[in-house]
Amino acid sequence: MEEDIVRLKKKRDVEKRMERFQRSTSSLSMTGGRSFRSFMTGELGSPHHEKSISPSSTGRRTSSGRYISLSREEESEVAGEVSSEFMYTVHIPATPDHQQMSETPMVRPMMGPSIALKAEQQFVSSTIFTAAGMDPKMERRLSLLKSNKPGLLMSHSSEFDHSRWLYETKGTYGYGNAVWPKDDGYAGGKNTGLGAPPSFGDKARRPLSRKSNISAGIISPYRLLVLIRMVVLGFFLAWRVRHPNSDAMWLWGMSVICELWFAFSWILDQLPKLCPINRFTDLQVLKEKFETPSPLNPSGRSDLPGIDVFVSTADPEKEPPLTTSNTILSILAADYPLEKLSCYLSDDGGALLTFEALAETASFARVWVPFCRKHKIEPRNPETYFLLKGDPTKNKLLPDFVKDRRRVKREYDEFKVRINGLPDAIRRRSDAYNAHEEIRAKRKQIETGADQSEPLNVPKATWMADGTHWPGTWTNSGKEHGRGDHAGIIQVMLAPPTSEPLMGSADDDNLIDTSDVDIRLPMLVYVSREKRPGYDHNKKAGAMNALVRTSAIMSNGPFILNLDCDHYFFNSLALREAMCFFLDRGGDRLCYVQFPQRFEGIDPNDRYANHNTVFFDVNMRALDGLQGPMYVGTGCVFRRVALYGFDPPRHVDHPGCWGTLCCGGKKKNKAQKREVEVETLNGGTSEEEEDVEAVMLPKRYGDSMTFCASIPVAQFQGRPLADQGVQNGRPAGALTVPREPLDASTVAEAINVISCFYEDKTEWGGRVGWIYGSVTEDVVTGFRMHNRGWRSVYCVTKRDAFRGTAPINLTDRLHQVLRWATGSVEIFFSRNNALLASSRMKCLQRIAYLNVGIYPFTSIFLLVYCFLPALSLFTGEFIVQSLNVAFLIYLLIITVTLCMLAILEVKWSGITLEEWWRNEQFWVIGGTSAHLAAVFQGLLKVMAGVDISFTLTSKSGAEEEGDEFADLYLVKWSALMIPPITIMIINIIAIAVGTSRQIYSEIPQWSKLLGGVFFSFWVLAHLYPFAKGLMGKRGRTPTIIFVWSGLLAVIISLLWVYISPPTNNIANPGAFQFP
């Protein structure tokens, strides 16, 4: 009986203590400091019932969500503990497996209904939230996550990530609890011992880019077909060798040799296509990591690295200044932190017209760039934007857009008129100043009493607007003012902007209202390097290297984008896309990010494959799955230190059989030496080695100490952020410091590094910068980087990054291909041949570069093969003894597999079958004309030092006003046209001869024509665009075409009569036999 009384008293004590605990909890939740419930529901708000157990229940809930009963000793112990006077709030956590609790909510009686309703949506994964201090014993009892294991901090549910939700709602993540800061920052800005919140693992590791493999349903059959075709080709060639044509051994021999080379060339082209990939970027993550306020960057100032943009031009007559100006405007309006962006225009012609056009561009940019930022204009090339078809108000929200667009359009029209009038303005100004100088000279001659019959020695100078001589090239070339003889010029058109935003105003003096727009502009610099007689200036490669040195002195952006003057930003976010690769994990191994080239102004049928989509969307995307795409001359973002000739921080050797044969001890010694250079750059070598390297730097980079001092700065700024799994990272916030302003000494040093003698006895053009010695310096420069172990990335954006123009005229297109092919021949006969590559280059990458140097030689075999059908029809023989079943089966399998491969390439690359067919057609057109000329031109240059170039000899027709593709129909005669014309005429005559033979034969056998006529039509089908181009528009074919055609027809007819006179037996005209 007494035991029952004692048990009853204990039970009442427990109930009283629980009641006091509930009152204290209720008062804390409603009137105390901001508990988790009051903090969250006050902001997120929709009320829900809280799912909990009744306080009267004699049990507790485990971390797995199950309820267990307590013994009386545990019950009294818990009751004693919870009766403490510490203020806290306990929320029952959700189950770890995120299963739904009871459907019938059980609300605590001491809570108000509104608070209970708001609590249902609060799901906290195994966490206790505290509002004040807690007894250590109580903390040990109630904390469910007192563990250092990171796995417990992560949610394993795919439905709702509690930890991520807590982090994104301003919770400071801790071990076992989460302390909610006040609105003014972490812990109210006080030193509470909390420190900076640790970065949430999942968020910090979100990649800036990702790689996606081609679907296995496409790439696996593709690889299988490649293998099948290779095997069939092997069996076919073996069959051809074992079955010669004894009646026409010369015909059989030529065909077998050509087929062997075609098979070899196809394998070289096909093997690098086995591993295509796609890449994607996440610009939102880039913004969060580098431009969002954080404890290490409270101001939120951009932590992105600087970028220097190079634009090159050489002749304002061939490259109109208006086109260059539009490119510059698109760069200045790019969506990138403008204090980190600098633009350099290289005028290799030193023309005053380009200089003053750039000055006009800088003036118009103060209107165009704020307009683009305010209304988010795309594209940011004014010429292209104002010519866009469609509704310009689409997706525009600001009410003053129409007014602003109308005003800016009018200003741009006036800007174009000023640019178009510059040549005449410069001429009139120069004539006026020269006349004034002649008058002064004549007056001086009279005053001095000199002989007035002597001619006045007054140079015909070109004058600037300020009344001084232009230091560059004059219109009438004079001493030290010619195209190859003028001083170096640097002019800062737009000074470096301030680090803080500068908002505009709504004054009436402004063309548009820019009160909420940052009106700062990136730095813009005009550069024309010094040129003197007797120096090899190395054309475009030399101009680019001069820009590399100048920009290192003036801005030293760790990344460099180079563009041709006719390529502009079509996507203002293109620079951010490139940074997603450079600043991602492993990005320190990238030497450059290459964008595909896209072109405008090409005829809809793309007659001459000007878009080059097979190369840019098939070959380049496939190379991205190896070591990276080739550098193609424009639209490429470089890492600056990679251009300086340094090795990557990490590399992998791929020796194989090639590396064993081609790479010896010298390669290893050079590799060790380069590793020491990289360590020196990172400050990881001894003082003696640093002293030796300091002595070697001037011999490598020139005598500019300012330039040498800029190298480690560019290397550091180009690193990705230090993070888990990132090697060679830099601390966050390191690039938020404003850069130093330009001064006179800096510009003077920049002038020094563009002098014509600066590169003497240095490694510029040999190992440093753009490589000299080839007309295709772009391919060689990329090859050298890959050969040192660097990787590259191919960035295909959803919206084209850049767009440019391409020649649509047949002759211009052939000359463009001729230059590329000549450079490839030079590469093959130089030390840049892929056969001599180091072990750091992957095998398939080496094969791709080998194909670059070999493909022009295919033209020799292609030319012979295009004549074989005609020779077959003329002689009545064929390349095989007889058209037996084996030959036809082989031919069928080879053709079908080629077509299936083309279909699969279309599937994984996104091109069309028409584009693929246009590429095949122009492969034959170029192979029988430009490639063939390039082989002979390259051989003469390499072996005899003779530089031969094919130039235009006649011009017919003119552009018609209002016809966008008028240049397509221009026919400009060139010697490159002779081989294709000859092939077409011979095959047409051969078909006529073969047909006539059967018509006048006593026993006609039409099956004898099958083989020759089929292959002749194959040749003519590939040359059809060439023939169509010769016809011009509405039959405007030049007379020279008819002259050559008639002459060739007469020569071939006479040759045929000589070989096969009409006295031959007509009854048995040939020995061509069919089964």
Side-chain angles (χ1 to χ4, degrees), residues 815-830:
H815 279 270
Q816 181 188 54
V817 174
L818 171 64
R819 184 176 65 85
W820 295 344
T822 303
S824 296
V825 176
E826 294 174 351
I827 291 173
F828 182 78
F829 288 107
S830 70

Side-chain angles (χ1 to χ4, degrees), residues 258 261-262 855-865 927 931-932 935-936 939:
C258 292
W261 181 265
F262 292 152
Y855 82 89
F857 296 96
T858 305
S859 61
I860 300 174
F861 304 92
L862 182 62
L863 182 69
V864 173
Y865 211 73
H931 295 175
L932 185 66
V935 171
F936 291 105
L939 289 175

Side-chain angles (χ1 to χ4, degrees), residues 325-326 328-334 361-374 377-386 405 408-409 411-412 511-512 521:
S325 298
N326 276 275
I328 298 295
L329 289 170
S330 70
I331 295 171
L332 298 179
T361 303
S363 177
F364 178 69
R366 303 184 185 278
V367 176
W368 173 252
V369 174
F371 170 69
C372 292
R373 293 175 184 161
K374 179 180 179 180
I377 300 300
E378 292 288 352
R380 300 190 175 183
N381 176 331
E383 183 69 20
T384 305
Y385 171 71
F386 289 122
R405 185 180 187 275
V408 174
K409 177 65 167 63
E411 188 71 17
Y412 176 65
L511 191 67
I512 61 175
L521 297 176

Side-chain angles (χ1 to χ4, degrees), residues 18 488 665 878:
M18 290 293 293
F878 196 51

Side-chain angles (χ1 to χ4, degrees), residues 667 670 674 762-768 771-774 780 783-784 787-788 825-838 841 942:
K667 295 277 186 178
K670 291 182 179 180
R674 289 194 291 264
T762 65
E763 295 187 5
W764 285 99
R767 179 183 171 188
V768 179
I771 308 302
Y772 300 156
S774 175
V780 177
F783 170 80
R784 290 288 185 90
N787 198 37
R788 289 195 293 269
V825 176
E826 294 174 351
I827 291 173
F828 182 78
F829 288 107
S830 70
R831 61 175 181 169
N832 298 311
N833 192 313
L835 293 173
L836 306 178
S838 71
M841 184 177 291
V942 171

Side-chain angles (χ1 to χ4, degrees), residues 649 676-685 690 712 715-716 719 728:
V676 172
E677 294 171 1
V678 177
E679 292 179 1
T680 302
L681 187 65
N682 297 330
T685 56
E690 290 181 1
Q715 192 271 345
F716 172 78
R719 297 178 181 179
N728 301 318

